[in-house]
Amino acid sequence: MDEKWLVGADIGGTTIKMAFINQNGEIIYKWEIPTNINEKGKNIPKEMAKSIDQTLSELGQEKQKLIGIGVGAPGPVNLGNGSIDVAVNLGWNNFPLKDLLEMGTSLPVIVDNDANAAAIGEMWKGAGQGSKDLLCITLGTGVGGGIISNGQIVHGINGAGGEIGHITSLVEDGAPCNCGKTGCIETIASATGIVRLAIEELSFTETPSRLRDFYNEHQILSSELVFEVANEGDELANRVIGKVTLYLGLALAHLANGLNPEKIIIGGGVSKAGDALLVPLKEQLTRFAFPRVLQGVELANATLGNDAGIMGGAWLVKKRLLNRNGNTPLYL
C-alpha cells in the first residue's frame, strides 16, 4: 500500500518552513518560502497552498498523497476555529488561518501555537522522545514555551497555556515586554534580553570587558558574543549570564515544582551556547526546585533545531486526523 504523507508547516516572521513527512516521522522533503507580510499577511495561506501544489508536482505526486496539514503559527490560537487572535509580526488580527488554508488546499488543517508545535516535535522525534511529561522552552528573539502532560499539549481554557515567556521575574523595575507587562522572563532570557542586560552593565559600570570595545565602537552586540566572551572568563559577560540563568532557573523551578516533568528541553538560538548556558542554569534549577522534583527531571538541549515546528505540525495531523479516521495514533 502506498503510504500517505503528513504535511508540517512552521510560519515564522521571515520564512515559512514546510515538509512532507511520513507516518514514522521521517522527513521525505522539506523546503521554505519567504513570509509575505504585505497587506497584513493576507496572502500567506494562498502562497502556502501554491507552494504545496508546486512541490507535489516537482516530486511527481498527486494531492491524494497528503493526509492533512499541521501548522505552527505565532500568537494565541483559537482552538475552536483555528484562527490567530493576534500575530503582530505578521499583521494578523483574528486571522482565519485554518479556513483560508483549507480553502486553498482542499485538505484538512490543524493549527496550534508555534512554540507548542516545537514542543510536540521534540517529544515525538527530538530530545523529549519517549517522554510524555516535559517542558520545552525556546529562547530566541522572544521566549516561547510548550507544556506537555501525559503526551498532551496543555492549552488551558482559552489557548494561552504554556506562555512561559510571560512569567513575571522582576516584580519591580522590570523592562517593558511586548505583551504590555514589565519584568517578564522574555525581557531577560531572550537574545534581545541578554543584549539589553549587557548594555546596562556597560552603561552603568566601569568593569573592563571585551564587550566594551564592541559597544564603544558602535558594533552590534549579540547574545552569541556575550556567551563567547563569557567563555573566555570575561567578568562582565559572566555577570550577565549569571542574571539570565538566575531568573530563568527560578522560573523553570516554579514550573517544575507544579508539573513534575521528566524533561526540561531548552531550544531556540540562545540554546546554541550549550554548556555555557546549561551548566549555570542547572545550578539555579537545583537551587530552587523541590528535591523530589529534581530526582525525576533532566535538563537538556533541544535536538531538532529548525525542524521542531514542522515535526510538531506533522504529529498533530497524525494524532488527530488518523485517530479520527480510526487508524492507530502515536499515543493513546
Side-chain angles (χ1 to χ4, degrees):
M1 181 179 176
D2 189 23
E3 185 185 44
K4 291 192 172 185
W5 294 343
L6 318 164
V7 184
D10 182 13
I11 301 176
T14 305
T15 62
I16 300 169
K17 300 172 182 65
M18 289 184 278
F20 296 143
I21 298 169
N22 69 21
Q23 295 172 41
N24 293 321
E26 299 164 338
I27 295 176
I28 304 300
Y29 188 82
K30 66 179 179 179
W31 75 101
E32 59 184 55
I33 62 173
T35 305
N36 181 2
I37 61 173
N38 294 326
E39 300 181 78
K40 296 185 176 181
K42 74 173 188 179
N43 294 314
I44 287 174
K46 179 171 63 177
E47 293 180 3
M48 290 175 67
K50 181 180 178 181
S51 180
I52 289 170
D53 286 343
Q54 287 179 340
T55 306
L56 280 171
S57 177
E58 291 168 6
L59 297 177
Q61 300 290 341
E62 300 292 331
K63 182 71 72 67
Q64 290 76 13
K65 183 75 174 179
L66 307 180
I67 299 169
I69 306 170
V71 184
V77 176
N78 185 319
L79 299 173
N81 60 20
S83 66
I84 310 301
D85 290 347
V86 61
V88 177
N89 62 333
L90 302 181
W92 288 351
N93 187 19
N94 294 321
F95 187 77
L97 176 60
K98 178 179 186 294
D99 289 346
L100 292 175
L101 194 52
E102 285 185 338
M103 189 183 306
T105 62
S106 300
L107 291 168
V109 174
I110 298 172
V111 180
D112 209 325
N113 173 264
D114 51 2
N116 287 344
I120 292 168
E122 289 289 344
M123 175 185 70
W124 187 21
K125 289 294 178 179
Q129 192 169 6
S131 300
K132 292 188 178 182
D133 293 273
L134 57 90
L135 302 174
C136 185
I137 295 87
T138 55
L139 308 176
T141 305
V143 173
I147 299 171
I148 295 176
S149 178
N150 194 31
Q152 301 292 327
I153 198 75
V154 174
H155 291 110
I157 193 65
N158 63 358
E163 287 290 353
I164 293 169
H166 301 293
I167 293 174
T168 300
S169 297
L170 285 174
V171 178
E172 302 290 344
D173 302 321
C177 181
N178 288 331
C179 75
K181 301 198 296 109
T182 60
C184 295
I185 192 63
E186 180 168 300
T187 68
I188 298 168
S190 64
T192 50
I194 293 170
V195 170
R196 182 185 62 78
L197 290 177
I199 291 174
E200 285 184 357
E201 287 287 339
L202 293 167
S203 301
F204 299 111
T205 74
E206 297 182 357
T207 307
S209 172
R210 192 156 76 87
L211 291 176
R212 196 174 296 282
D213 297 334
F214 286 85
Y215 185 62
N216 290 340
E217 294 171 10
H218 303 290
Q219 296 187 46
I220 296 175
L221 296 181
S222 65
S223 60
E224 293 89 345
L225 181 63
V226 174
F227 278 104
E228 178 186 325
V229 299
N231 282 334
E232 297 170 357
D234 188 281
E235 178 186 345
L236 187 146
N238 274 295
R239 201 153 62 219
V240 171
I241 302 306
K243 286 183 180 179
V244 170
T245 52
L246 167 65
Y247 290 112
L248 182 58
L250 178 61
L252 294 181
H254 288 328
L255 287 165
N257 286 347
L259 295 164
N260 193 196
E262 182 178 357
K263 290 186 178 180
I264 298 176
I265 299 168
I266 311 295
V270 175
S271 71
K272 294 177 182 178
D275 285 348
L277 173 67
L278 282 189
V279 170
L281 183 57
K282 187 173 183 179
E283 290 175 358
Q284 299 297 347
L285 180 65
T286 302
R287 176 183 174 188
F288 295 119
F290 183 61
R292 186 164 177 81
V293 168
L294 288 172
Q295 291 173 12
V297 71
E298 175 189 353
L299 183 66
N301 264 332
T303 59
L304 292 182
N306 291 332
D307 291 342
I310 56 176
M311 294 300 298
W315 185 91
L316 289 172
V317 176
K318 179 180 176 72
K319 173 67 176 179
R320 298 184 193 175
L321 295 182
L322 289 186
N323 191 29
R324 182 190 305 166
N325 294 332
N327 291 293
T328 304
L330 180 64
Y331 288 104
L332 299 176

